[in-house]
Amino acid sequence: MAQVRNKQVILSNYVTGFPTESDFNIVESTITLELPEGSNDVLIKNLYLSCDPYMRSLMSEGPARKGSLSYTPGSPIGGYGVAKVIESGHPNYKKGDIVWGFTKWEEYSLVSAAQIVTKIENSDVPLSYYTGILGMPGMTAYAGFFELGSPKKGETVFVSAASGAVGQLVGQFAKLTGCYVVGSAGTKEKVDLLKNKFGYDEAFNYKEEPDLDATLKRYFPEGIDIYFENVGGKTLDAVLSNLKVHARIPICGMISQYNLTEQEGVKNLSKLIYNRVRLQGFIVSDYYHLYPKYLEFLLPKIKEGKVVYVEDIAEGLENGPTALVGIFSGRNVGKQVVVVARE
Amino acid sequence: MAQVRNKQVILSNYVTGFPTESDFNIVESTITLELPEGSNDVLIKNLYLSCDPYMRSLMSEGPARKGSLSYTPGSPIGGYGVAKVIESGHPNYKKGDIVWGFTKWEEYSLVSAAQIVTKIENSDVPLSYYTGILGMPGMTAYAGFFELGSPKKGETVFVSAASGAVGQLVGQFAKLTGCYVVGSAGTKEKVDLLKNKFGYDEAFNYKEEPDLDATLKRYFPEGIDIYFENVGGKTLDAVLSNLKVHARIPICGMISQYNLTEQEGVKNLSKLIYNRVRLQGFIVSDYYHLYPKYLEFLLPKIKEGKVVYVEDIAEGLENGPTALVGIFSGRNVGKQVVVVARE
């Protein structure tokens, strides 16, 4: 079989501090669209790629590296994506299936079946949703808020990075549960989205709040029951001084810290004691067994318009590095997706 | 009825930084050993008083104050103690009963029944034990280790302030559970106690370890499952880099931070995420319903010598301030008790 072009996004060097576009190269390699003899892997055509904060940790050299997923200079970077099966050596998948899972930033990838989270059976929502609301970020919001947050009607919820891929859902889940929810974001446009699109009760631009402790006291005079932690650092410190007794803090990420060579110190941890607070880190892949339950919960709500989702779409793999780098300065509005191909 | 002398330990001023003996005065007031007409309170003679780290927070002015328990300059300080009932207006208690609960640092106190945790029924162990192993610190070790720590046989446990009122028990509970347990303390004498008296597998003097991260890696090459947090600050930061997946950190106190006007920053919180760590503050009084179960578990073990307890006894209320101040620099060896009277 003939070889075809396989455009790739390559890590050019290990990253220190904020990633920039020069940390990535676009190269054109070639690939034979045929599985090796006897392979039980799956050959896929990548359609939509997901830009997610955790990817920063895969770009570093040294102890922060997270096992086999970490990137190596000279090789294509990886991440979650939606893809079409070209050829399959594994009984669970066949040619033409649409799947989502962990793939590489290139036009075609050879992946193991273990990298595929699931086949996509429902196609009357945008396929790109499986990089966001119906993919890893959606499951992160669902598992973090419902499983770790244990929300009850009438409780108070604070969400940082609230207009992002995860935060916009946490706010809507909180409202569906009957909670009071406040979100923070970094631009006026995002704050407007939070209030007018996602149904947050209140929202503020953290860049315009010189005293975050005072801001939180204004929005939560009685304190916070659940803080959905996406950012870490100074925000966490201010939250620690504004918690209710038995508060819960699910931690899915600390994006404010990922690009610092030295982490900010969090000073108010002793507040956890008297308030009996549970602070719990989690990795979404531990909760993928709940995915069918999540689809059952969410798909009807998407179709009825009761849960909405905002995406920021970059067209073309060659625009991937710019899109990816942008999420670390909050340039994206909503979930950042890169379209490689539409089918 | 005649008035009698009532020696008291009075807070002379709100405390900033480390408390010193000059922050307290010994005064002699008088008291009528008679309940006011119609009172349902309890008049007690204090026998043993407990010196505990949380008492530091009660000495401060301002937002760190913990409600009604906080001390006021000019008034006697309060804390846990063992006492004999002189007269009772409450049906649960009668003259001659021995009780433990929250009392004041004075010879005689008028307390509400709600301040009494329980009547002491078993008197074939030293009464002073009800300020320690059979009192609040014992319940702290029990609830923190078993309820929040969820230990399993073969797991690895690290305890800071390990020879203190709580730590010496956590180590012994860990050994009873079949765990590997390492403790840290601040003198050679305490380290010897940990290994030779309390059965810790390993112990070290943290003051002689310039690189705590390296020390923990030496004792826990595979990482820590449970960190029983008593100290906070730099120790917590080093532990965060040495945790196993699904580690648990019950936090009952952060003694290293109590006397600082500015708390140390903890920088490694992002380690909680990938390792799915649960960090949980708790207050022992939430677990007092387990006290009968605790006695059933522990009393036989004390009598058989399978659990031991070391106390540091100060004689006389007038030596109370020195004893209390000493726990913040680690001068005590074992549980610090003040004897007011022996019966």
Side-chain angles (χ1 to χ4, degrees):
Chain A
M1 190 176 272
Q3 289 197 319
V4 299
R5 183 195 68 184
N6 193 20
K7 211 184 287 180
Q8 298 178 310
V9 176
I10 302 286
L11 186 72
S12 48
N13 46 260
Y14 287 121
V15 177
T16 317
F18 276 84
T20 62
E21 288 162 48
S22 67
D23 294 320
F24 307 91
N25 287 324
I26 312 288
V27 304
E28 291 202 4
S29 67
T30 56
I31 186 171
T32 306
L33 290 184
E34 194 171 30
L35 275 180
E37 182 75 22
S39 165
N40 56 3
D41 288 341
V42 185
L43 185 65
I44 58 178
K45 180 183 184 190
N46 293 307
L47 305 178
Y48 298 93
L49 295 172
S50 181
C51 298
D52 295 298
Y54 78 90
M55 294 167 75
R56 175 62 189 85
S57 67
L58 307 180
M59 301 172 196
S60 296
E61 192 172 18
R65 290 167 66 76
K66 296 286 180 288
S68 60
L69 299 182
S70 290
Y71 309 153
T72 307
S75 295
I77 68 172
Y80 280 94
V82 174
K84 187 160 88 175
V85 175
I86 302 287
E87 200 176 344
S88 172
H90 193 279
N92 289 5
Y93 306 100
K94 62 173 200 303
K95 184 174 171 173
D97 282 349
I98 305 290
V99 296
W100 73 270
F102 202 84
T103 184
K104 291 216 170 74
W105 280 43
E106 55 193 359
E107 291 176 284
Y108 299 93
S109 297
L110 188 65
V111 300
S112 73
Q115 288 176 249
I116 297 174
V117 174
T118 192
K119 206 184 297 191
I120 296 174
E121 310 281 2
N122 187 301
S123 57
D124 53 357
V125 295
L127 273 184
S128 58
Y129 273 20
Y130 290 88
T131 67
I133 182 171
L134 295 173
M136 183 277 285
M139 275 304 295
T140 301
Y142 182 69
F145 185 67
F146 289 110
E147 298 292 312
L148 283 85
S150 310
K152 287 180 282 295
K153 191 180 168 180
E155 287 193 323
T156 61
V157 179
F158 177 53
V159 185
S160 52
S163 71
V166 175
Q168 52 177 298
L169 291 173
V170 175
Q172 294 179 77
F173 295 166
K175 288 317 297 176
L176 288 172
T177 312
C179 298
Y180 165 82
V181 59
V182 178
S184 68
T187 66
K188 182 178 184 308
E189 179 186 10
K190 293 178 185 179
V191 167
D192 288 344
L193 266 183
L194 292 179
K195 289 198 278 195
N196 303 327
K197 181 102 184 166
F198 304 132
Y200 274 78
D201 293 294
E202 299 286 350
F204 63 86
N205 180 347
Y206 68 89
K207 292 177 181 166
E208 291 179 353
E209 299 291 336
D211 180 350
L212 195 52
D213 180 61
T215 306
L216 292 174
K217 284 191 168 48
R218 197 165 72 234
Y219 287 113
F220 298 97
E222 310 285 319
I224 298 167
D225 287 301
I226 301 175
Y227 170 47
F228 198 98
E229 167 66 300
N230 287 309
V231 305
K234 292 183 186 72
T235 307
L236 177 57
D237 237 348
V239 167
L240 289 172
S241 295
N242 287 282
L243 293 171
K244 278 198 199 172
V245 167
H246 296 299
R248 288 84 67 197
I249 307 183
I251 314 181
C252 82
M254 291 191 167
I255 195 173
S256 76
Q257 305 298 298
Y258 294 164
N259 302 298
L260 305 178
T261 45
E262 174 148 28
Q263 308 279 291
E264 286 179 304
V266 172
K267 296 183 175 174
N268 290 324
L269 285 172
S270 63
K271 309 271 186 181
L272 298 177
I273 303 172
Y274 188 70
N275 285 328
R276 297 90 148 158
V277 177
R278 191 176 70 208
L279 196 134
Q280 194 162 0
F282 73 104
I283 297 280
V284 61
S285 53
D286 290 349
Y287 297 88
Y288 280 163
H289 60 281
L290 299 177
Y291 187 66
K293 199 175 142 198
Y294 179 58
L295 287 185
E296 203 177 302
F297 161 77
L298 197 64
L299 278 174
K301 292 192 171 56
I302 294 176
K303 290 173 191 170
E304 295 162 18
K306 288 184 181 160
V307 171
V308 297
Y309 202 61
V310 170
E311 297 180 317
D312 194 330
I313 305 268
E315 291 288 341
L317 190 58
E318 59 283 3
N319 291 315
T322 307
L324 178 56
V325 163
I327 66 170
F328 297 102
S329 57
R331 205 161 52 203
N332 57 311
V333 177
K335 166 67 193 173
Q336 182 66 60
V337 184
V338 176
V339 185
V340 186
R342 292 194 186 265
E343 63 172 341
Chain B
M1 188 178 272
Q3 289 198 319
V4 299
R5 183 196 68 184
N6 193 21
K7 209 185 287 181
Q8 298 179 310
V9 176
I10 302 286
L11 185 72
S12 47
N13 45 261
Y14 287 122
V15 177
T16 318
F18 277 85
T20 64
E21 290 162 47
S22 68
D23 294 320
F24 306 92
N25 287 324
I26 311 289
V27 304
E28 292 200 5
S29 67
T30 56
I31 186 171
T32 306
L33 291 185
E34 197 172 31
L35 275 180
E37 182 75 22
S39 165
N40 54 5
D41 288 341
V42 185
L43 186 65
I44 59 178
K45 180 184 183 189
N46 294 307
L47 304 177
Y48 298 94
L49 294 172
S50 182
C51 297
D52 295 297
Y54 78 89
M55 294 166 75
R56 174 62 188 84
S57 66
L58 307 181
M59 301 172 194
S60 297
E61 194 173 15
R65 291 168 65 77
K66 297 289 181 284
S68 61
L69 299 181
S70 290
Y71 309 153
T72 306
S75 295
I77 67 172
Y80 281 94
V82 174
K84 187 161 89 175
V85 175
I86 302 289
E87 201 179 341
S88 173
H90 193 278
N92 289 6
Y93 306 101
K94 63 175 196 304
K95 184 175 173 174
D97 283 348
I98 306 291
V99 296
W100 74 270
F102 202 84
T103 182
K104 290 216 170 74
W105 280 43
E106 56 192 359
E107 292 177 283
Y108 299 93
S109 297
L110 189 65
V111 299
S112 72
Q115 289 177 246
I116 297 174
V117 174
T118 191
K119 206 185 295 191
I120 296 175
E121 309 282 2
N122 186 300
S123 59
D124 53 357
V125 295
L127 273 185
S128 57
Y129 273 20
Y130 291 87
T131 68
I133 182 170
L134 295 173
M136 182 278 286
M139 275 304 295
T140 301
Y142 182 69
F145 185 67
F146 289 111
E147 297 292 312
L148 283 83
S150 311
K152 286 178 282 294
K153 190 178 168 182
E155 287 194 321
T156 62
V157 179
F158 177 54
V159 185
S160 52
S163 72
V166 175
Q168 52 177 299
L169 291 173
V170 175
Q172 295 180 78
F173 294 165
K175 290 316 298 175
L176 288 172
T177 312
C179 297
Y180 165 83
V181 59
V182 178
S184 68
T187 68
K188 181 179 184 310
E189 179 187 11
K190 292 178 185 180
V191 168
D192 289 345
L193 266 182
L194 292 179
K195 289 199 276 196
N196 302 326
K197 182 103 185 166
F198 304 131
Y200 273 78
D201 293 293
E202 300 286 350
F204 63 86
N205 180 347
Y206 69 89
K207 292 178 181 166
E208 292 179 352
E209 300 290 338
D211 181 350
L212 195 52
D213 180 60
T215 307
L216 292 175
K217 285 191 166 47
R218 196 164 74 235
Y219 288 114
F220 298 97
E222 309 287 318
I224 298 167
D225 287 303
I226 302 175
Y227 170 47
F228 197 98
E229 167 66 300
N230 287 308
V231 305
K234 291 183 185 68
T235 307
L236 177 57
D237 237 347
V239 167
L240 289 173
S241 295
N242 287 280
L243 293 171
K244 279 196 198 171
V245 167
H246 295 300
R248 286 84 68 196
I249 306 183
I251 315 182
C252 81
M254 293 193 166
I255 196 173
S256 76
Q257 305 300 298
Y258 293 164
N259 301 298
L260 305 179
T261 44
E262 174 146 29
Q263 308 277 293
E264 287 179 303
V266 172
K267 297 183 176 176
N268 291 323
L269 285 172
S270 62
K271 309 270 185 180
L272 298 177
I273 303 171
Y274 189 70
N275 285 328
R276 297 89 148 160
V277 177
R278 190 177 69 208
L279 197 135
Q280 194 163 2
F282 73 104
I283 296 281
V284 62
S285 53
D286 291 348
Y287 297 89
Y288 281 161
H289 61 281
L290 300 176
Y291 187 67
K293 198 176 143 198
Y294 179 58
L295 287 184
E296 202 177 303
F297 161 77
L298 197 65
L299 278 173
K301 292 192 170 56
I302 294 176
K303 290 172 188 169
E304 294 162 18
K306 287 185 180 157
V307 171
V308 297
Y309 202 63
V310 170
E311 297 179 317
D312 194 329
I313 305 269
E315 291 288 341
L317 190 60
E318 58 281 6
N319 292 314
T322 308
L324 178 56
V325 164
I327 66 172
F328 297 102
S329 56
R331 204 160 55 205
N332 58 310
V333 177
K335 166 65 194 174
Q336 182 68 59
V337 185
V338 176
V339 186
V340 185
R342 293 196 185 267
E343 63 173 341

